[in-house]
Amino acid sequence: MKKDLFDFLNTDLQFVKGVGPKVAARFDDVIGGRRVLDFLLHRPSAVRPRALTQSVADAAAGQTVTIELLIKAVRPGRSFRGRRVPTQIICADHAGATVIIQFFNSNFLDYWLKKMPVGAWRIVSGKLERSGSRNIINHPEFIEEPENIGKIPSIQVIYPAGEGLTQKTFAAVRDQIFAALPDRLMGADENTLEFFAALRDIHFPSGADDLLPNATAMAKLAYYELLAHQSAIAISRRARMDVRNARPVRPQKYDLMDKFRASLPFELTGAQARALDEIFADMSRDMPMMRLVQGDVGSGKTIVALAAAVWMAARGGQTALLAPTDTLAQQHYAKLKPLCDKIGIVCDILTGRDKGPARREKLVSLRSGRTRIVVGTHALFSEDVDYKDLGLVIIDEQHRFGVAQREALRAKGRNPDLLALSATPIPRTLSMTMYGDMDVSIINEKPAGRLPIKTSKIPMARYGELVAHLRPQIDAGAKVFWVCPLVEETEESHVTAAAARHADLEKYFPGAGLVHGQMDKKKRDIVMAEFADNDSDMKILVATTVIEVGIDVPRATIIVIENAECFGLAALHQLRGRVGRGNLQSYCILLFGRNLSEDGMRRLDVLCETDDGFAIAEQDLMMRGVGELMGTRQSGWIQYHFVDYRMHRDLFKLASRAAMDAPTDEWTRDLMYIFDRGETISA
Ligand code: ADP
Ligand code: MG
């Protein structure tokens, strides 16, 4: 692929017009990357027709309508007996039917009102609601003058979105990227052209059918993705067998392992012991280990990984533990350091924050072999980092890394062992296709004394009762997470929902906290730290889904998830994992709204029945509608962009055969680059 095109794909989204660093950071969180390429791989999940309708009388409640309206009067919002009445704009359509447009959020009100002067005609597009005989549109997504009807797409593409990103932002970014693309594709080869044409087809679908897994463009992209994945696996499998890269023989030198066992403050669970047996057996063989340990958050993977590192240290080798973020690296280090000190192993941390003489000192210690275990981020495989004898590479949250990065770290040693950790319970039936090159150990047992989280589902109508129940729990020392999801696409209403919930709960629980994605990160961290502090008055934290990423509050024993039906099973399971971390009984309360579908109810039932991530993942796989809920980082168990793991079995076979049989050509290499988080792979 041409360098010009690569440069374009690697462009940071903040340089796209109208984006900027703040929105780019939102993209990073929501779609898992902030390059043009990441955007292109984020596929739309649905289309929404917005063709013009003559009268609201023709449309059903709940439907999106686009309609020309005469603006007749404005009724400002006010408070009435303690209730907020929204601002209402009274309109009439061409058939004379009355339509009321409502705005709840006063922050943006001036802006909206200016767009809707009394006496003018406007084209309005939004979801039609009916209350009795009244036609209502809350917060319409489009308000345009009649001559600008072209600004309302007759088929709107809907992207899996998230906090701080509206559909309009997605559409604007998409339009700019695809406008710039043809120039970059000049002189490109057939394969490349075909690939980007397929991408264009799914970003500009002509109907819902174009987004189904068996649509031409979708199937093509799925095949390419599988080919990239299977080729990467084939390459690492070949590297593993490489005899030129002979592994050193490692006789055991010290009785470190016994010391380690004796220093543990608890007994290993049966599942931990089994995983360790498998790991030690692998490490004793003359072929390098390639093993994945899967287990829910809190199942005790870190200790298992540390035991493997101690085993390596006892044989003179070094271990590098790679974590996806600074924070996670720090957390690991804080856990490992005391244990290592106890048994006399030198353990260190290396991240992008280390600079100057301090960093140089750390590198010397690694090169000399004195440091036996090093925890860190990408810094671990920077060019100037040398190891004396890197024998084991451990990768935490392995789905956050590409095969290329994994191999870049492995290349620092002579065919070292690899141990990957994952808290994402991939269903057993799928792990072969996902991890064809790895053996899998499963930790499906919680440490002794851990109580299962009691989960229940209750209708939103019982909100008052729930609040009353929280009182004694909080008085007894419990802390409560209260999660509000993204209910509407318009983000003003989303943050409003969380803010309104916070305002209400604050009446019962003074000092309640609020965090959401529009707050700046520093402020968010301060609020979270206050919540985590046992002695603070912040007993309840209202949050949007931003709490999903790495926050550990031992006293948090209750999580309430509002509109739980809006989340996928994977996200609910992960959210629930925020509680139940200590030995106290924890509770998860799933609040559901009035429009709970049958599928939604079944999802909630699955959660009430089990907290075994593997069982939940299997259920999800069986229940999931085609393409439903897929695509955002939080929604799925598996990080494919285009592959539908039920619909594309044949493509999988084709791709794995192609990857096995053929030598890796330039096009396949390009594909691996595209699908492997931007790293080129070296065969
Ligand atoms: P994971 O990495 O799988 O999320 P951790 O390794 O961080 O889980 O373990 C979670 C907590 O459980 C830690 O505080 C750890 O010390 C503790 N723990 C791990 N194994 C056991 C065990 N067998 N018995 C009791 N506690 C354990
Ligand atoms: Mg962990």
Side-chain angles (χ1 to χ4, degrees):
M1 221 179 265
K2 285 168 44 202
K3 181 171 177 308
D4 207 28
L5 179 56
F6 266 12
D7 287 346
F8 179 61
L9 296 179
N10 279 325
T11 308
D12 193 302
L13 287 172
Q14 70 169 305
F15 301 117
V16 172
K17 209 174 84 204
V19 173
K22 215 170 148 191
V23 175
R26 298 305 312 138
F27 271 114
D28 202 5
D29 278 0
V30 171
I31 72 177
R34 51 186 290 159
R35 299 166 303 163
V36 164
L37 177 59
D38 299 309
F39 187 94
L40 287 169
L41 298 179
H42 184 68
R43 71 174 165 83
S45 55
V47 299
R48 179 165 305 153
R50 286 195 189 274
L52 201 62
T53 336
Q54 271 314 303
S55 172
V56 279
D58 307 334
Q63 202 177 313
T64 297
V65 292
T66 303
I67 192 157
E68 197 165 4
L69 296 174
L70 175 64
I71 296 144
K72 300 179 82 168
V74 175
R75 280 191 211 138
R78 68 213 137 93
S79 281
F80 180 69
R81 293 198 186 147
R83 266 186 53 212
R84 259 185 67 212
V85 179
T87 298
Q88 297 183 324
I89 299 182
I90 317 298
C91 311
D93 71 13
H94 280 290
T98 300
V99 180
I100 301 169
I101 294 172
Q102 299 194 130
F103 293 102
F104 289 86
N105 189 332
S106 44
N107 295 346
F108 296 82
L109 202 57
D110 289 346
Y111 171 75
W112 295 119
L113 292 180
K114 226 175 265 164
K115 289 187 89 160
M116 310 193 78
V118 173
W121 285 89
R122 288 290 180 267
I123 300 186
V124 170
S125 187
K127 192 167 150 194
L128 179 69
E129 320 256 358
R130 287 229 165 86
S131 164
S133 62
R134 298 193 316 159
N135 300 301
I136 298 170
I137 299 176
N138 292 321
H139 287 261
E141 285 108 24
F142 293 89
I143 301 168
E144 297 293 344
E145 296 176 25
E147 61 265 34
N148 289 337
I149 186 168
K151 288 191 180 169
I152 306 177
S154 58
I155 291 182
Q156 187 190 17
V157 177
I158 304 294
Y159 287 89
E163 284 189 74
L165 293 176
T166 63
Q167 293 300 329
K168 282 187 188 164
T169 310
F170 272 97
V173 171
R174 173 202 59 184
D175 290 349
Q176 288 191 57
I177 290 177
F178 279 95
L181 197 55
D183 271 356
R184 310 295 182 136
L185 285 172
M186 289 235 271
D189 58 277
E190 195 79 6
N191 283 325
T192 308
L193 289 174
E194 210 181 301
F195 179 81
F196 285 95
L199 278 178
R200 174 180 282 275
D201 285 348
I202 64 126
H203 282 281
F204 294 93
S206 50
D209 286 357
D210 286 355
L211 296 177
L212 295 177
N214 54 5
T216 314
M218 283 288 284
K220 209 177 266 176
L221 292 168
Y223 176 75
Y224 285 141
E225 183 167 27
L226 286 164
L227 182 62
H229 194 166
Q230 292 302 311
S231 300
I233 287 172
I235 287 173
S236 75
R237 194 183 285 140
R238 269 174 235 142
R240 183 184 185 186
M241 310 275 191
D242 192 349
V243 282
R244 288 167 306 173
N245 240 333
R247 286 150 47 86
V249 182
R250 300 186 185 279
Q252 169 154 10
K253 287 187 192 139
Y254 322 100
D255 55 353
L256 269 179
M257 234 26 243
D258 300 331
K259 271 204 211 160
F260 171 73
R261 282 219 170 84
S263 73
L264 281 184
F266 45 70
E267 289 283 314
L268 292 180
T269 63
Q272 283 174 317
R274 255 191 321 276
L276 265 184
D277 284 347
E278 287 166 347
I279 289 167
F280 292 156
D282 284 354
M283 291 173 80
S284 313
R285 276 210 284 275
D286 55 3
M287 216 174 62
M289 167 167 76
M290 285 253 181
R291 185 166 287 278
L292 173 72
V293 174
Q294 277 189 295
D296 268 334
V297 171
S299 59
K301 297 181 294 294
T302 310
I303 288 297
V304 169
L306 180 60
V310 171
W311 192 99
M312 182 51 67
R315 283 153 180 81
Q318 292 169 294
T319 296
L321 195 170
L322 178 63
T325 64
D326 269 16
T327 317
L328 279 171
Q330 306 279 3
Q331 262 177 32
H332 276 306
Y333 183 64
K335 269 190 210 166
L336 299 186
K337 184 78 167 66
L339 272 165
C340 287
D341 285 350
K342 236 190 253 174
I343 57 178
I345 298 182
V346 178
C347 173
D348 206 349
I349 179 164
L350 185 69
T351 69
R353 286 189 207 173
D354 294 303
K355 301 234 153 66
R359 177 166 190 275
R360 239 169 289 137
E361 205 170 296
K362 288 181 176 202
L363 297 193
V364 168
S365 183
L366 269 176
R367 202 171 303 136
S368 72
R370 194 180 85 91
T371 300
R372 284 297 163 80
I373 300 178
V374 63
V375 182
T377 54
H378 295 70
L380 291 178
F381 51 90
S382 302
E383 210 162 329
D384 60 343
V385 179
D386 293 316
Y387 299 80
K388 176 153 188 278
D389 179 14
L390 180 63
L392 171 64
V393 166
I394 302 175
I395 304 206
D396 192 24
E397 304 232 21
Q398 70 97 35
H399 64 278
R400 306 268 296 263
F401 297 96
V403 178
Q405 291 172 318
R406 175 177 109 184
E407 291 304 313
L409 184 49
R410 280 191 79 235
K412 297 277 183 190
R414 276 186 294 156
N415 233 344
D417 288 314
L418 177 87
L419 183 63
L421 310 179
S422 168
T424 309
I426 308 273
R428 241 164 283 235
T429 37
L430 290 176
S431 58
M432 257 310 285
T433 66
M434 285 306 291
Y435 305 117
D437 56 340
M438 287 201 252
D439 305 303
V440 178
S441 300
I442 289 176
I443 304 189
N444 53 359
E445 190 180 341
K446 300 254 154 76
R450 210 56 60 82
L451 297 163
I453 300 164
K454 288 195 176 149
T455 303
S456 50
K457 56 173 207 286
I458 59 174
M460 194 58 205
R462 286 172 59 194
Y463 170 76
E465 211 178 306
L466 170 64
V467 168
H469 265 100
L470 290 178
R471 175 89 271 158
Q473 300 276 357
I474 285 178
D475 289 342
K479 295 223 173 195
V480 181
F481 281 121
W482 190 295
V483 184
C484 302
L486 186 68
V487 223
E488 298 287 332
E489 276 153 38
T490 50
E491 85 153 36
E492 304 92 66
S493 51
H494 171 47
V495 172
T496 312
R501 177 61 62 228
H502 173 252
D504 191 62
L505 286 169
E506 216 179 11
K507 286 191 266 174
Y508 307 97
F509 309 104
L514 171 66
V515 290
H516 58 73
Q518 281 189 327
M519 282 163 76
D520 106 46
K521 170 121 182 18
K522 265 194 215 127
K523 229 167 125 193
R524 214 156 72 195
D525 287 347
I526 292 172
V527 177
M528 290 211 189
E530 191 182 343
F531 180 63
D533 177 3
N534 277 345
D535 301 325
S536 80
D537 288 335
M538 195 183 288
K539 304 299 181 197
I540 190 160
L541 179 68
V542 179
T544 54
T545 46
V546 287
I547 58 155
E548 204 166 329
V549 266
I551 172 165
D552 203 349
V553 184
R555 291 307 297 262
T557 51
I558 302 176
I559 184 163
V560 178
I561 306 175
E562 198 171 320
N563 282 109
E565 73 275 14
C566 296
F567 289 102
L569 275 173
L572 288 171
H573 179 62
Q574 266 161 33
L575 282 170
R576 181 167 58 177
R578 298 282 141 240
V579 299
R581 301 188 143 206
N583 288 339
L584 299 167
Q585 178 63 55
S586 289
Y587 303 88
C588 170
I589 293 132
L590 307 168
L591 278 175
F592 55 89
R594 264 179 303 166
N595 299 324
L596 183 63
S597 68
E598 206 170 303
D599 257 14
M601 180 62 90
R602 269 165 68 201
R603 280 206 296 274
L604 302 192
D605 284 339
V606 169
L607 271 128
C608 293
E609 276 155 27
T610 179
D611 68 350
D612 174 353
F614 289 94
I616 295 171
E618 293 280 1
Q619 285 289 327
D620 194 32
L621 188 64
M622 276 166 27
M623 288 168 42
R624 195 175 270 254
V626 175
E628 185 195 359
L629 300 168
M630 295 229 318
T632 50
R633 249 207 331 204
Q634 305 135 345
S635 65
W637 309 91
I638 295 176
Q639 313 287 318
Y640 275 133
H641 298 279
F642 304 104
V643 178
D644 180 307
Y645 32 93
R646 291 174 312 168
M647 301 295 289
H648 293 140
R649 295 228 167 109
D650 292 342
L651 290 183
F652 172 77
K653 277 185 208 138
L654 274 179
S656 55
R657 208 165 303 141
M660 213 103 86
D661 296 347
T664 315
D665 60 11
E666 200 189 326
W667 168 237
T668 315
R669 230 169 267 278
D670 288 346
L671 281 177
M672 286 194 286
Y673 174 91
I674 286 171
F675 286 110
D676 199 26
R677 284 156 227 277
E679 301 284 326
T680 3
I681 218 164
S682 60

